[in-house]
Amino acid sequence: VRPGEVEHGPLFGRLIALYSRVLRWCLDRRWVLPVAASVLVAFTLFFAGRLTTGLMPDMDEGAFVLDFWTPPGTTLAESDRLLGQIDTLLTQTPEVESYSRRLGTELGFSITEPNRGDYAITLKRDRKRGIEPIMDDLRGKIQTTVPGIDADFHQVLQDLIGDLAGAPKPIEVRVYGENEAAIDAFSAEVMDQLGKVRGLVDLKSSSVESGPELIARVDAFRAGRLGLTPDQIASQLGAAMQGDVVTQLLQGDRQIGVRVRYPKEARSDQAAMSTLPVHIPSGAVVPLSAVAALEIAPGTVEVNRIDQRRVVAVGASLSNRDLGSATNDVRKVAAGLTPPAGVTLSIAGQSQSQAAAFRNLLTVLALAILLVFSVMLFQFRSFTAPIVILLIMPLSLFGVSLGLWVTRTPLNISSFMGAIMLVGVVVKNGILLLDQAIKGEESGMTTREAVVHAGEVRLRPILMTTLTAILGLAPLALGLGAGAEMQKPLAIAVIGGLTFSTLFTLVSAPMLYVSLKREPARHDEGSSA
């Protein structure tokens, strides 16, 4: 037993002998390294290009919220009647354990109309279907059974995270402009085109409409011929519809205003309102229809602005589609639209948050590499070993991309964090191996003998620490335990990266180290370990 070695059992002894023969063979054929590295980089790009992407990991929370909107202007009684049909659908769904409904109110500080509200639905623990198929099934039944209701399904925590991030919808197209009619018309066109994109569901515009309102459009030319201005006509209509306070009535110590206006029959019917008398300066009276045209239009009770610009946002949720590919399709749709003059559009939603999060994580990754490189410089007091470990790092991404692709796990914040964690693991294994090799060189060994000896000595601790980490992350990778789905992508990324980075460290790092030392290759595969 050479200095620094420990005795091993027969099984591990044979493993070390096999590793020693493989390493010597590779050291004699170091041209294999650039070829293998190029192939691995190509496969890494291949698998990475086929990964689905998202912002947060998908989870089954066991509960979801169903937001609903009945047609604008619907009374509470009529909305309640329509919602009774949804109550029946929920009762007939075997996975639903309980639900509660609110109508005409909601959480938060948003304006709430009598035609909107939400359901809080809790699912049973023992069920055969996941939450996504259940929501898809209910969505289809509501569209078929109660076509007058717009429904929006989302899980509680995911919706809360989206609200906190400022992007409540996965997909959101914002239409900017100051002309209300123009942005409303263009946002309707955007919604129609988004409805054709596969996987987009629950499309909804941020434009909040009240019940229909009656608009009197004054003909300025005809009114002018009668000696009236639009303001004078509006004043007379205001007095007729809303009334004027003509006197005060004393009740106790309080004065109550007395408002005089036209009776309800003259104010609640379009035909009757067209005959409302309008007084002209000559003393004659003409009907309202002589100077104005009445038309019914939807009323808008809320105006949204972003960066001081008026905006209408068209949002959509996802069903059986990842965020990245859906966003790419939405960008293609947006590129094919021609907004009118003064109207612009932009892509927002969680895709915008995802891009910002990935940029920040890339910055963190670069900073982590810089910091560990600085630590290695202090450790080795030379550039050779740190550069070897630095060049080996990208090869570990092959295991990350392969693991995510095989398990069909999206690349999201969690799996990205797993890739960042691999930086420390690769560095740790590299330091264990090359530090031992440097000690061998200092004791008089050649570089080739030193790296072979270091591999034989450090094989056991590297394999044991790697195996311990993999086994510790296995329950998370399998999705076992409460909240495991949130960390599942991280565990899969780390396990995949650890598996292959260990192999690259044990074989590629010695080959690269010997190459940088410029020691010539020898064909002595048969030499003893």
Side-chain angles (χ1 to χ4, degrees), residues 78-119:
E78 177 61 17
S79 295
D80 182 69
R81 186 189 68 80
L82 292 173
L83 295 175
Q85 302 177 55
I86 298 182
D87 293 346
T88 303
L89 293 176
L90 293 175
T91 304
Q92 294 174 350
T93 303
E95 292 87 358
V96 174
E97 183 176 63
S98 62
Y99 67 88
S100 62
R101 185 228 296 177
R102 293 182 299 182
L103 176 60
T105 185
E106 62 179 350
L107 292 176
F109 302 99
S110 302
I111 297 175
T112 304
E113 299 299 310
N115 65 314
R116 67 184 297 180
D118 56 41
Y119 282 89

Side-chain angles (χ1 to χ4, degrees), residues 160 256 528:
L160 178 60
I256 306 298
S528 63

Side-chain angles (χ1 to χ4, degrees), residues 17-238:
L18 175 62
Y19 166 67
S20 179
R21 288 195 296 271
V22 171
L23 181 56
R24 291 176 185 276
W25 185 91
C26 292
L27 288 173
D28 290 332
R29 296 163 179 82
R30 293 198 293 272
W31 57 266
V32 174
L33 180 60
V35 175
S38 301
V39 172
L40 285 172
V41 171
F43 274 106
T44 300
L45 297 176
F46 173 81
F47 291 124
R50 282 156 179 76
L51 292 179
T52 57
T53 61
L55 178 62
M56 299 296 294
D58 295 328
M59 297 186 299
D60 187 338
E61 299 177 25
F64 62 92
V65 175
L66 192 167
D67 291 323
F68 59 80
W69 295 263
T70 57
T74 306
T75 62
L76 283 172
E78 177 61 17
S79 295
D80 182 69
R81 186 189 68 80
L82 292 173
L83 295 175
Q85 302 177 55
I86 298 182
D87 293 346
T88 303
L89 293 176
L90 293 175
T91 304
Q92 294 174 350
T93 303
E95 292 87 358
V96 174
E97 183 176 63
S98 62
Y99 67 88
S100 62
R101 185 228 296 177
R102 293 182 299 182
L103 176 60
T105 185
E106 62 179 350
L107 292 176
F109 302 99
S110 302
I111 297 175
T112 304
E113 299 299 310
N115 65 314
R116 67 184 297 180
D118 56 41
Y119 282 89
I121 303 169
T122 303
L123 302 178
K124 297 177 181 178
R125 292 190 176 183
D126 299 328
R127 47 188 165 86
K128 296 181 179 179
R129 292 193 298 175
I131 193 169
E132 290 292 340
I134 295 173
M135 290 194 296
D136 290 340
D137 184 41
L138 282 172
R139 182 184 295 111
K141 289 180 178 178
I142 291 174
Q143 292 174 351
T144 303
T145 309
V146 200
I149 291 184
D150 289 333
D152 182 11
F153 294 77
H154 48 80
Q155 298 191 60
V156 182
L157 181 59
Q158 292 179 351
D159 184 62
L160 178 60
I161 293 174
D163 287 334
L164 293 175
K169 286 284 191 177
I171 301 295
E172 186 175 272
V173 179
R174 294 174 179 173
V175 180
Y176 296 92
E178 293 304 323
N179 188 319
E180 180 182 356
I183 62 175
D184 285 343
F186 188 63
S187 63
E189 181 183 353
V190 170
M191 182 179 294
D192 180 65
Q193 294 299 318
L194 292 183
K196 301 176 183 178
V197 178
R198 179 179 62 86
L200 297 193
V201 295
D202 300 338
L203 272 75
K204 184 67 179 175
S205 171
S206 66
S207 179
V208 180
E209 296 181 355
S210 63
E213 60 184 22
L214 197 62
I215 299 177
R217 300 196 181 277
V218 177
D219 188 327
F221 178 75
R222 292 164 61 185
R225 292 183 59 185
L226 296 175
L228 293 171
T229 64
D231 287 342
Q232 291 172 332
I233 296 174
S235 177
Q236 293 190 44
L237 280 179

Side-chain angles (χ1 to χ4, degrees), residues 399 422 469-477 490-500:
L422 282 175
I470 291 175
L471 294 179
L473 291 170
L476 283 180
L490 181 147
I492 292 175
V494 173
I495 290 175
L498 274 177
T499 303
F500 288 92

Side-chain angles (χ1 to χ4, degrees), residues 372-421:
V372 297
F373 187 76
S374 302
V375 171
M376 287 189 294
L377 286 178
F378 282 106
Q379 167 71 22
F380 294 108
R381 297 183 298 278
S382 70
F383 282 94
T384 304
I387 289 176
V388 168
I389 298 174
L390 193 65
L391 293 176
I392 294 299
M393 281 184 189
L395 299 182
S396 64
L397 295 179
F398 169 76
V400 175
S401 59
L402 178 61
L404 296 177
W405 182 76
V406 169
T407 58
R408 297 183 179 181
T409 302
L411 176 64
N412 48 40
I413 291 178
S414 180
S415 51
F416 209 127
M417 291 176 61
I420 295 175
M421 290 175 60

Side-chain angles (χ1 to χ4, degrees), residues 222-301:
R222 292 164 61 185
R225 292 183 59 185
L226 296 175
L228 293 171
T229 64
D231 287 342
Q232 291 172 332
I233 296 174
S235 177
Q236 293 190 44
L237 280 179
M241 302 297 295
Q242 300 177 353
D244 288 333
V245 178
V246 296
T247 186
Q248 301 288 333
L249 179 64
L250 186 64
Q251 289 188 351
D253 59 348
R254 299 180 61 190
Q255 287 186 336
I256 306 298
V258 178
R259 184 178 296 273
V260 178
R261 61 180 179 177
Y262 274 53
K264 183 178 181 180
E265 293 76 14
R267 296 181 288 109
S268 59
D269 180 73
Q270 183 177 357
M273 290 179 62
S274 65
T275 63
L276 286 175
V278 177
H279 297 270
I280 60 177
S282 64
V285 176
V286 297
L288 178 62
S289 59
V291 293
L294 297 178
E295 60 181 46
I296 297 177
T300 302
V301 297

